[in-house]
Amino acid sequence: MNRSQRPTVVAVLVASTVLLALLLAGCGVVSRPDPTAWDDQATQALTDAGSEVATARLALESARRGRTWSAYTTVIVAEAEEAAGKAEQDLARLQVPPGRADDAAQVLDLLDQAVDLVGEARAHAVAGRYDDRALVERLDHLSDQLRQAAP
């Protein structure tokens, strides 16, 4: 290596070391969860899941009345199931603020119910069973619960 290349090599090594130190410092710091931010995320997750439950209900009802094709109904309900699952997963990844474990458990339980029930609706759509009134009533009831839980 000649003398003209040394400053470049040194500069690259210094820049790499600084970048690595910044990355490690960012990864090692865990901030305290903000209760207000967690509440906002929980409200959004409940609202999103409620919308997906209502979408599944509407899709089944529309198919029952012959207003949509079976393949379309299946796709709509499957996408609703996926979106409800994403809302649940996104909230579950957040650290629960101290003293809020019971609230978090209730919210996550409602979100889990939404995913399960929309999954059941998807199974009905795949099977072409659109006339299960009990399922529609359970979707309505859960939609109400999600709406009430989201302040």
Side-chain angles (χ1 to χ4, degrees):
M1 178 181 318
N2 63 30
R3 291 182 160 252
S4 65
Q5 292 176 326
R6 283 188 185 160
T8 304
V9 170
V10 171
V12 169
L13 288 173
V14 169
S16 298
T17 304
V18 169
L19 180 60
L20 181 61
L22 289 173
L23 287 173
L24 290 175
C27 292
V29 176
V30 176
S31 63
R32 255 184 105 144
D34 177 16
T36 303
W38 190 89
D39 288 345
D40 291 344
Q41 290 288 335
T43 298
Q44 187 63 53
L46 290 165
T47 301
D48 291 350
S51 294
E52 301 310 331
V53 169
T55 296
R57 186 231 183 270
L58 180 61
L60 290 178
E61 186 67 23
S62 294
R64 184 184 68 79
R65 293 181 181 195
R67 295 184 177 163
T68 59
W69 299 283
S70 62
Y72 177 76
T73 301
T74 301
V75 169
I76 292 297
V77 178
E79 288 178 355
E81 180 184 21
E82 184 179 326
K86 183 177 179 341
E88 178 187 27
Q89 289 172 357
D90 288 350
L91 186 64
R93 285 188 192 116
L94 296 179
Q95 183 175 347
V96 177
R100 304 295 295 279
D102 290 341
D103 294 336
Q106 290 175 353
V107 169
L108 289 171
D109 180 58
L110 275 174
L111 294 173
D112 187 52
Q113 289 178 44
V115 173
D116 288 347
L117 195 55
V118 175
E120 189 176 333
R122 180 195 38 79
H124 277 68
V126 168
R129 293 185 50 222
Y130 311 119
D131 58 348
D132 187 341
R133 295 304 304 160
L135 176 60
V136 170
E137 288 174 12
R138 289 182 12 232
L139 288 164
D140 282 340
H141 179 70
L142 184 57
S143 183
D144 290 343
Q145 285 182 300
L146 289 162
R147 192 175 316 111
Q148 290 171 2

